[in-house]
Amino acid sequence: MNFDGTFQLEDTSVEEVWLALSDPVLIADALPGCEYLLHVESDDVDFDELADRADERDAELTGDPETIAERAFREGEWYAGQIQVSVGPVNPTFETVVRIDERDQPRMGASGEGSSGDSSFEMSSGMALQETDDGGVAVEWETDADVFGKVAGMGQRVINPVANRLVKRFFSDVQSTLRELQLAEAATPEPEGDAEGGIVNRLLGRSSSESS
C-alpha cells in the first residue's frame, strides 16, 4: 500500500519544524495512539522491559534546543514503542520498532515493522520540508506499507481513510504544539539581557536583535 500527501504548517519555519520532528517526545505526544517511543540498541526488543523504562522516561515537551538535541533521533539508530490503532471494529496495539534511515535537513526517513497478535505490518516512510510563500512550511510525506493478518483482510477501502486521518491528526497536533511553545514564550518574560531572546528564537537559531 502506498500513501502520500502534503501537509501545510502555518506561521513557522523549516528550522522550527525540523527541531520539533527531531524530538521523540513530541512525536510520541502527537502520534495518535502512541503510548511511548524510546531509543533501543537494536531491533531485538524486550517490550516488557521497555514498558518499565517508559514509566521513568523524560516525557516533558520543551522548546529548548539543547534538551531536544540530547534526546533527538539519530540516523542509523533504532526506536521502539507501542501504538494503538483503530481500524474498523478492531483496535490492535502494535509493538513497533523503527530505524532512522536518513536524517539530513530538510529530509528524514525511517523503516520498521510492528506486530499485534493476529496483525502485523512492515513500512518505510519519508518526509521533506519546504518553506512556503506565505510564511509556513509544506511537509511532503510518503509511506509504503505491507499489512498482514486481520487488519489486512479489511482492505484498502477501510485502511486508507484510517491512515489519512492519522497523518492529518498527527500534523495538526504538531502545529498546535508549536503554537503552544510560542504562547509559553510570550507568557514568560525573558530575563533582561537574554541574548537568545526566548524559546522561539532559540528554536529558530536567531538572536532577539535579528527577530526585531
Side-chain angles (χ1 to χ4, degrees):
M1 298 181 182
N2 301 90
F3 310 93
D4 61 73
T6 301
F7 198 90
Q8 302 282 343
L9 298 173
E10 301 175 352
D11 300 322
T12 187
S13 70
V14 168
E15 290 79 9
E16 188 174 9
V17 175
W18 177 261
L19 190 61
L21 296 178
S22 298
D23 186 359
V25 172
L26 188 149
I27 297 300
D29 184 74
L31 188 62
C34 184
E35 298 179 23
Y36 58 81
L37 183 62
L38 297 173
H39 176 262
V40 292
E41 296 300 323
S42 71
D43 59 347
D44 184 13
V45 178
D46 183 335
F47 279 91
D48 291 333
E49 179 183 349
L50 198 65
D52 292 336
R53 279 182 53 196
D55 293 336
E56 303 172 356
R57 73 194 188 282
D58 176 11
E60 182 178 356
L61 291 171
T62 179
D64 178 22
E66 293 184 1
T67 300
I68 294 175
E70 291 178 358
R71 64 193 188 197
F73 293 117
R74 289 175 171 78
E75 187 172 308
E77 296 294 313
W78 296 90
Y79 297 83
Q82 286 192 330
I83 303 174
Q84 186 180 61
V85 181
S86 296
V87 184
V90 300
N91 299 279
T93 297
F94 290 95
E95 295 180 340
T96 306
V97 184
V98 297
R99 181 183 185 273
I100 306 301
D101 298 320
E102 178 185 12
R103 187 172 180 272
D104 186 12
Q105 186 177 348
R107 293 192 56 84
M108 59 182 79
S111 58
E113 59 186 26
S115 61
S116 175
D118 54 9
S119 298
S120 63
F121 70 86
E122 298 174 354
M123 52 75 68
S124 62
S125 63
M127 64 178 68
L129 313 180
Q130 184 174 358
E131 293 183 359
T132 61
D133 294 336
D134 57 359
V137 174
V139 184
E140 297 180 359
W141 63 273
E142 59 182 353
T143 296
D144 292 328
D146 293 318
V147 183
F148 310 96
K150 188 172 183 179
V151 169
M154 297 181 184
Q156 282 192 265
R157 291 180 61 185
V158 174
I159 296 174
N160 283 14
V162 171
N164 289 325
R165 184 175 68 249
L166 291 177
V167 171
K168 182 177 180 179
R169 182 177 166 188
F170 169 74
F171 284 116
S172 294
D173 284 355
V174 169
Q175 175 80 84
S176 297
T177 299
L178 289 173
R179 287 175 175 168
E180 288 170 6
L181 292 175
Q182 292 172 344
L183 289 173
E185 190 254 356
T188 307
E190 293 294 321
E192 185 176 351
D194 184 354
E196 296 299 324
I199 293 174
V200 174
N201 286 334
R202 291 201 301 273
L203 278 168
L204 299 178
R206 65 191 185 194
S207 68
S208 57
S209 62
E210 290 172 330
S211 62
S212 59

